[in-house]
Amino acid sequence: MPKKAPPLNAERYPARLTRPLVDELVLNALSEDLGLAGDITSQATLPPTASARALMVSRENGIIAGLDLAEAAFRLVGPGLTFRPLVGDGDAVKAGSEVAHISGNARLLMAGERVALNFLNHMSGIASHTRRFVDAVAGTGAQICDTRKTTPGLRAVEKYAVRCGGGTNHRYGLDDAILIKDNHIAVAGGVGAAVRAALNFAGPMVAIEVEVDTLEQLEEALEAGANAVLLDNMGVQTLRKAVALNRGRAKLEASGGVDLEHVGAIGATGVDYISTSKITMASVPLDIGVDIKVSV
Amino acid sequence: MPKKAPPLNAERYPARLTRPLVDELVLNALSEDLGLAGDITSQATLPPTASARALMVSRENGIIAGLDLAEAAFRLVGPGLTFRPLVGDGDAVKAGSEVAHISGNARLLMAGERVALNFLNHMSGIASHTRRFVDAVAGTGAQICDTRKTTPGLRAVEKYAVRCGGGTNHRYGLDDAILIKDNHIAVAGGVGAAVRAALNFAGPMVAIEVEVDTLEQLEEALEAGANAVLLDNMGVQTLRKAVALNRGRAKLEASGGVDLEHVGAIGATGVDYISTSKITMASVPLDIGVDIKVSV
Amino acid sequence: MPKKAPPLNAERYPARLTRPLVDELVLNALSEDLGLAGDITSQATLPPTASARALMVSRENGIIAGLDLAEAAFRLVGPGLTFRPLVGDGDAVKAGSEVAHISGNARLLMAGERVALNFLNHMSGIASHTRRFVDAVAGTGAQICDTRKTTPGLRAVEKYAVRCGGGTNHRYGLDDAILIKDNHIAVAGGVGAAVRAALNFAGPMVAIEVEVDTLEQLEEALEAGANAVLLDNMGVQTLRKAVALNRGRAKLEASGGVDLEHVGAIGATGVDYISTSKITMASVPLDIGVDIKVSV
Amino acid sequence: MPKKAPPLNAERYPARLTRPLVDELVLNALSEDLGLAGDITSQATLPPTASARALMVSRENGIIAGLDLAEAAFRLVGPGLTFRPLVGDGDAVKAGSEVAHISGNARLLMAGERVALNFLNHMSGIASHTRRFVDAVAGTGAQICDTRKTTPGLRAVEKYAVRCGGGTNHRYGLDDAILIKDNHIAVAGGVGAAVRAALNFAGPMVAIEVEVDTLEQLEEALEAGANAVLLDNMGVQTLRKAVALNRGRAKLEASGGVDLEHVGAIGATGVDYISTSKITMASVPLDIGVDIKVSV
Amino acid sequence: MPKKAPPLNAERYPARLTRPLVDELVLNALSEDLGLAGDITSQATLPPTASARALMVSRENGIIAGLDLAEAAFRLVGPGLTFRPLVGDGDAVKAGSEVAHISGNARLLMAGERVALNFLNHMSGIASHTRRFVDAVAGTGAQICDTRKTTPGLRAVEKYAVRCGGGTNHRYGLDDAILIKDNHIAVAGGVGAAVRAALNFAGPMVAIEVEVDTLEQLEEALEAGANAVLLDNMGVQTLRKAVALNRGRAKLEASGGVDLEHVGAIGATGVDYISTSKITMASVPLDIGVDIKVSV
Amino acid sequence: MPKKAPPLNAERYPARLTRPLVDELVLNALSEDLGLAGDITSQATLPPTASARALMVSRENGIIAGLDLAEAAFRLVGPGLTFRPLVGDGDAVKAGSEVAHISGNARLLMAGERVALNFLNHMSGIASHTRRFVDAVAGTGAQICDTRKTTPGLRAVEKYAVRCGGGTNHRYGLDDAILIKDNHIAVAGGVGAAVRAALNFAGPMVAIEVEVDTLEQLEEALEAGANAVLLDNMGVQTLRKAVALNRGRAKLEASGGVDLEHVGAIGATGVDYISTSKITMASVPLDIGVDIKVSV
């Protein structure tokens, strides 16, 4: 199985979110922040003709993700604002790095700012945390994967942020791949029976993975023809045996107990993927702020 | 100004989210996880008539929030599931505490489980982290407040989780209160002028707060008639002077540099509110899991 | 408490409705009028390439509100129409005043016309009726306020029209401020207890108003710390006593039995606000028409 | 042409609005009034378990319309409320008449009340005003018709209210019938040419009406085969001549300058329909209120 | 009754679908095809900056319909693509005819292609099949009509495609005209009674058609004043008698057992309309393909 | 690779569409057919209290699909109808077979009938046509697959109908699997390079298929590690060689020129899947009708 390419920022915007999705998410967020009355503070204190210039600056080191959503916030809040990104998604920034310029009508700019930042900070936080895990397995050939433990409504943007951080996406939902777990195995009558039932059900474009606890189950899964096997909570030595047993027949994914301290050792066992909900659930927003100058 | 009541779990479901909002958020999340094809793993491996019983258990200490969203996930995924909560929102649970029972059709139960948990864990994480800050200021009379730094699309549920943790909500959006910051002040020609412009604009039901950096600005805000003043990044000594200067005229809110180590000292200065984005942005999901038994 | 500024048309578009909201409302109205088949009369009788020029003219005196919605109707019905407003929202027009020019494809122009007018006439009717009340209290310092008695689905545009007429907005919904009425008082155990419960619940950005029937209740409300008090159905003499009793402690709002004949006397009592559903519910649309010339 | 039946309340709910439409409109209105936070006053002052009983009473004489929307408001705001109508849509009520009972959880009842009333009062106002015009033409055989001048987003409910008042609906939108006006005539090359173009375009299920200013145009329209002719702003004598000229060939509709004073004379000319925007645009809400008793 | 004009492609885009409807349908279809992750094949294999040129070519003879939806697919999938139609809706094309050029970013072009084709092929299939029926009745004066048997969600575009094929639209839904069938007749007490009830109910803009099985029922319908009569499953001789009996009083529509073999004979009886679900339900997509050249 | 199970009706409702999706599609279709005014024919001719009983009967042999959508049409059109299916999705019916009973309010039943049938007939048509292809390859081990050539907006229900007919689903959209075609190969620099790029991009849950024209390309694809290979427009002899060459390494899919006459021979070559757009695009609706008896 060929090794993965270097992190995705080798090219700018490697796998842009679709425009319809971006616009739907951002309109929803603008509606949430502006309500029926809009930004009443600016209405009360700024002339309608005031203009503003703003500079987004990262206040800490990290990886950028979410510029398309920031752009959409300033485009959809009203006509006439200009958003100019100074870096690209997937780029590493340092504390003090300039991220984007925005200019135009002051009321509009201030009405869009928080939504833009809430997306950008949240997504960059995930990209940055993913990158820490990716760096920790550098050289091992293992890829860092996400899970379905994501914030409700934001799965697409969080999985995109994982890619910006150099990670790889696990399935997007219950609908796009088969992942057989303990209950399915119990009802189907064993690992092999469950995999065969899945092969019977699935067409040519559905990947089938099965979660196993032991090397015996692994062998059973491989013989049944699983595309991938999730090795659940195995220690490093067992993982190494699993890799040997596999002989490249299926993709192997290690899961459970993954943290920054141990992920390197897990990667060194030769597994193909290491999945963890930590990159989406235990990240904190990257501190990107905005400095605004209003002129009347 | 009267002191706040004890945390909100004194009564069950103190301020339930509205049914239309809960259902809209949960349907959106179900659609995100189920896509067009639904749970193809269960389709492939479980008989359509299989039934299941599940127990949600907290795996760590914390505060519960989001049971209505979990209930909605199991109600809206399809007809016939039963969801029975064993605790209430705002309740403290310990590692091992049972949170809810679910029973009914196995395929439906497994199709709704992840959405239910993603809401419950995320919201309980916020409630739990809020409670840590609330406990740290216990006895001081200060209230812990959230901000507009929330996850796009989830502001209502995150602010509800803050209340479940014993916190108090700052404004929901740009539309429901006036918060005057540096740019508004600069354009309006000073703190007093900005507050007066806001009073001119606002009707009787709009609270007006102004952010100040110095005690001079505070005095100017109080004389102009602000309802609340945000004391930005002031040290503990200055905060104490601000409280003395205020003499109960306006609500005082301390903000900036708030963490669990220092929040108690800030509360002890006599300010009414301490706001921090940490309770929504730096929380991690509470680890609540579910054990499922499928029977054919 | 400082007195309000002159009516809001001092500046053009004082507090524009947000673009996402305008577009959502107008798309909904276009869909309602065009259905699945569109304008079949124009399809049957006008060549697809015919062009048209139109002039919107007010046929009576009044105050304009809703130009952004008219603009959106002609922008969203299809590409290529030009809408040029000749006055601004909040402007007073006379019978015969030109309001806007529209030009472009004849079919599109005629498909958007009724939606544009239905918004513009409805909103200008509210602005004009509001202005009558505003004029009737001129010089008294009292402000005219709306209520939650608005047309379902159009609250934001109706409250915007009230502002264009020189009025002030009361709360937008049940969610953005606390207004304590008789049932709440009865359950809470009195005016003071209810206000204290509300203060306990509310954060720094929530205004609290309580409805009272007597001066005793007013005193109780003021002592408890209400931000505003609604004086329900009090006669002019009692209102005057209420103002004296208040000594500027809270905002005072008179309500009940407000009509154009008596509103001036109510304003002269010194109350800060006079609220009435008449400005939204008893207004009739301003008669603005459109003259169209089609050329083939 | 057969004469119309008596007003539509002869049977209860003669032509109910569809359930999907009712629910969509009411959910939208609930969302508008409840926002993200819901009814914070009740949250602050009423125990979550408090119950309430309410009675809707009309405070003036009128015709009821909109009970299905009121029912939906109490059904959709949350589970467990009971709504029992005491009259039917289309019924005449007197000041003091009881309209409906509601009972259940106090917070839910108070959260749904304003939405229910805003629909019911608005629609009953239109039904009542329509009935005044219907009564004024009683015995003449003329029917009162609405127009497309309706409140954006509420056309279906306003046209339903017109039916409850005993009126008849003109077309719902630009899509469901052809109404040829001056610009279409000018481009098509005359009344006859325009009608023929419309007949060419239309299938068997599209009614074709043409607006005429003179009896000559009427004859031209009749010869061309129009289904209906709108007699625009004609005096009573001319209308009488038009009826004689028509000899039952087409439906005749009088329009322009219709008010309560003159509508009877217009009806006596023998025209089939009299259309006026006044029934939708110049009505005021019927004053229906609600008395609530909360018990803890 | 005047005869219909020649097929509608005499003028380009005779009755364009409305922009709001086109955009809503296309966004829905894009979302269906792109999901949350977008086109992952192009993301994996094409540089983000690659550009492409594409040519849509018809691979068989037929009638084009749906260019506006194809245009919208390439416009809404993302910014910067150029779509240039080379024919117009309603135009006849031959195998090999070029239909449209598209150029721009390669990833976007390939993301929009299938949605554009799925609409264009489906609609052109309907237009082409309609044209076969239209050609089969050429010279008879009869018009080919559609029915309400359409694909759920696509009624507007399918009825538009019928027009592009030279057909005429029957009613769009249950709401825009009255079509009385056997059950209505049975309950109302006969054809005449049912028509009179409908005339009583309907305003001036609602066409009334009644389905009859015999010439006796036809006479009853004509006397009652029906606008149109649907002659259900009558043989050619009976149809001819029905035309004679009618003497131009109502529009006559033949229905039942309509196929390409017999439709000409039916048209020759002198009926005005022949309706058949075959044009929407038994058509197959027109084979229009796209050749794409990507350049890096 | 294990062979597929017998057609899916071995168990009733093998893979039900999700409830949220069914309801969304059916509400949209009801709204399309009922518009703003609802079923005006029934309003005009049937008493509101009339009841009805209906029997759905198939008028030809075929396979049933879509009962959940029919059920939803009668459930969502209004409260109180009873829908009782007499067969299951995937069942074979003969001409004259009873499919379902419906009873309840006559107006509601007639308002929901057409939407129910439009779904049921369309989906059963696809299931029936799929079954013909499935039967034609019976005993060969080959599976019949659909494509992305589906009706816009109905992909999920059409792919479900394919399963009811015994077919297997290819990918649902551009987002859930990688299918590399000629342009991707050209840009990537060959079949092997493209597959490797895809493997680099994809996580463990993404299946990768590549389209090849020659056996050389097939070998290249297999060596690069593709999960599946689409053999485009190969003759039967070449397909047989491809199967031999493959030795079970990847799933093989034959595509191009598939019709009922030749599909059996293609299946006999030993390929795993045969995909064709004919099952979705060239099917005609199954003729299922409904007999209604209304009683007053």
Side-chain angles (χ1 to χ4, degrees), chain A residues 1-5 8 14-15 143 145 163 168-172 175-179 196 198-209 224 227-228 251 253 273, chain F residues 1-5 8 14-15 143 145 163 168-172 175-179 196 198-209 224 227-228 251 253 273:
Chain A
M1 186 156 302
K3 289 310 171 195
K4 293 277 173 169
L8 296 182
Q143 291 293 315
C145 264
R163 293 201 301 277
T168 301
N169 297 142
H170 210 269
R171 63 177 174 168
Y172 266 67
D175 61 318
D176 68 337
I178 288 178
L179 176 46
R196 281 186 294 272
L199 281 163
N200 253 355
F201 177 87
M205 297 299 261
V206 175
I208 296 167
E209 183 169 24
N227 300 104
K251 298 170 188 171
E253 171 187 350
Y273 300 97
Chain F
M1 186 157 302
K3 289 309 169 194
K4 293 278 175 166
L8 297 183
Q143 292 294 315
C145 263
R163 292 201 301 276
T168 300
N169 297 142
H170 211 268
R171 63 178 174 168
Y172 266 68
D175 59 319
D176 66 339
I178 288 178
L179 175 47
R196 281 186 295 273
L199 282 164
N200 253 356
F201 177 86
M205 297 300 262
V206 175
I208 295 168
E209 184 170 22
N227 300 103
K251 298 170 188 170
E253 172 187 350
Y273 299 96

Side-chain angles (χ1 to χ4, degrees), chain B residues 27 30 34-38 43 47-48 76-79 107, chain F residues 11-21 155-156 163 172:
Chain B
L27 278 174
L30 285 171
L34 294 169
L36 297 177
Q43 291 171 20
L76 295 172
V77 75
R107 286 184 176 182
Chain F
E11 292 184 282
R12 288 282 165 92
Y13 299 93
R16 255 175 149 147
L17 291 162
T18 67
R19 172 63 72 102
L21 184 62
R155 186 166 289 166
R163 292 201 301 276
Y172 266 68

Side-chain angles (χ1 to χ4, degrees), chain D residues 57-62 93-98:
Chain D
V57 179
S58 186
R59 292 169 184 158
E60 51 179 332
N61 295 356
V93 293
K94 294 198 176 305
S97 292
E98 300 188 349

Side-chain angles (χ1 to χ4, degrees), chain C:
Chain C
M1 188 156 303
K3 290 310 170 192
K4 293 277 174 166
L8 297 183
N9 65 337
E11 292 183 283
R12 288 281 165 95
Y13 299 93
R16 255 172 149 151
L17 291 162
T18 67
R19 171 64 72 103
L21 183 62
V22 165
D23 285 7
E24 182 187 343
L25 289 167
V26 169
L27 277 174
N28 184 42
L30 285 170
S31 157
E32 182 184 61
D33 200 30
L34 295 169
L36 298 177
D39 178 1
I40 58 174
T41 306
S42 294
Q43 290 170 20
T45 60
L46 301 181
T49 54
S51 63
R53 302 181 61 80
L55 186 62
M56 281 189 174
V57 178
S58 186
R59 293 170 183 155
E60 51 179 332
N61 296 357
I63 305 296
I64 296 296
L67 287 165
D68 275 357
L69 290 115
E71 184 275 335
F74 293 112
R75 172 168 45 83
L76 296 172
V77 76
L81 293 174
T82 301
F83 175 85
R84 188 155 58 86
L86 304 172
V87 295
D89 277 0
D91 281 354
V93 293
K94 295 199 174 305
S97 292
E98 301 189 348
V99 173
H101 275 136
I102 313 105
S103 61
N105 180 275
R107 286 182 175 183
L108 285 181
L109 193 154
M110 297 183 79
E113 163 211 2
R114 174 54 39 212
V115 166
L117 286 178
N118 279 355
F119 275 111
L120 196 58
N121 295 3
H122 181 76
M123 293 169 70
S124 300
I126 290 173
S128 302
H129 204 48
T130 301
R131 183 64 57 91
R132 286 179 205 111
F133 281 83
V134 168
D135 288 345
V137 297
T140 69
Q143 291 294 315
I144 300 298
C145 263
D146 51 32
T147 68
R148 279 169 54 240
K149 294 184 181 174
T150 56
T151 312
L154 295 186
R155 186 165 289 166
V157 299
E158 293 187 351
K159 285 186 172 272
Y160 170 77
V162 164
R163 293 201 302 275
C164 290
T168 300
N169 297 141
H170 209 268
R171 63 179 173 167
Y172 266 68
L174 291 168
D175 60 319
D176 67 338
I178 288 179
L179 175 48
I180 301 167
K181 298 189 180 176
D182 52 358
N183 269 296
H184 309 109
I185 292 171
V187 170
V191 165
V195 170
R196 280 186 295 272
L199 282 163
N200 253 355
F201 178 87
M205 297 299 262
V206 175
I208 296 168
E209 183 170 24
V210 60
E211 183 179 315
V212 303
D213 298 317
T214 65
L215 296 179
E216 290 69 33
Q217 282 185 317
L218 169 60
E219 182 56 39
E220 199 179 339
L222 293 168
E223 281 172 14
N227 300 102
V229 182
L230 189 155
L231 308 166
D232 191 33
N233 268 315
M234 291 184 178
V236 164
Q237 283 203 324
T238 317
L239 289 175
R240 220 174 277 128
K241 288 182 192 166
V243 171
L245 184 67
N246 181 43
R247 296 191 313 276
R249 283 180 283 176
K251 298 171 189 171
L252 293 188
E253 173 187 349
S255 182
V258 176
D259 57 26
L260 274 174
E261 190 182 350
H262 300 96
V263 70
I266 298 172
T269 62
V271 294
D272 301 295
Y273 299 97
I274 305 171
S275 62
T276 172
S277 63
K278 287 215 171 58
I279 54 178
T280 50
M281 301 303 259
S283 73
V284 292
L286 189 70
D287 188 6
I288 302 172
V290 62
D291 296 314
I292 304 177
K293 290 283 165 283
V294 175
S295 52
V296 187

Side-chain angles (χ1 to χ4, degrees), chain E residues 74-93:
Chain E
F74 293 112
R75 171 169 46 84
L76 296 172
V77 75
L81 293 175
T82 300
F83 175 85
R84 188 156 57 88
L86 304 172
V87 294
D89 277 1
D91 281 354
V93 293

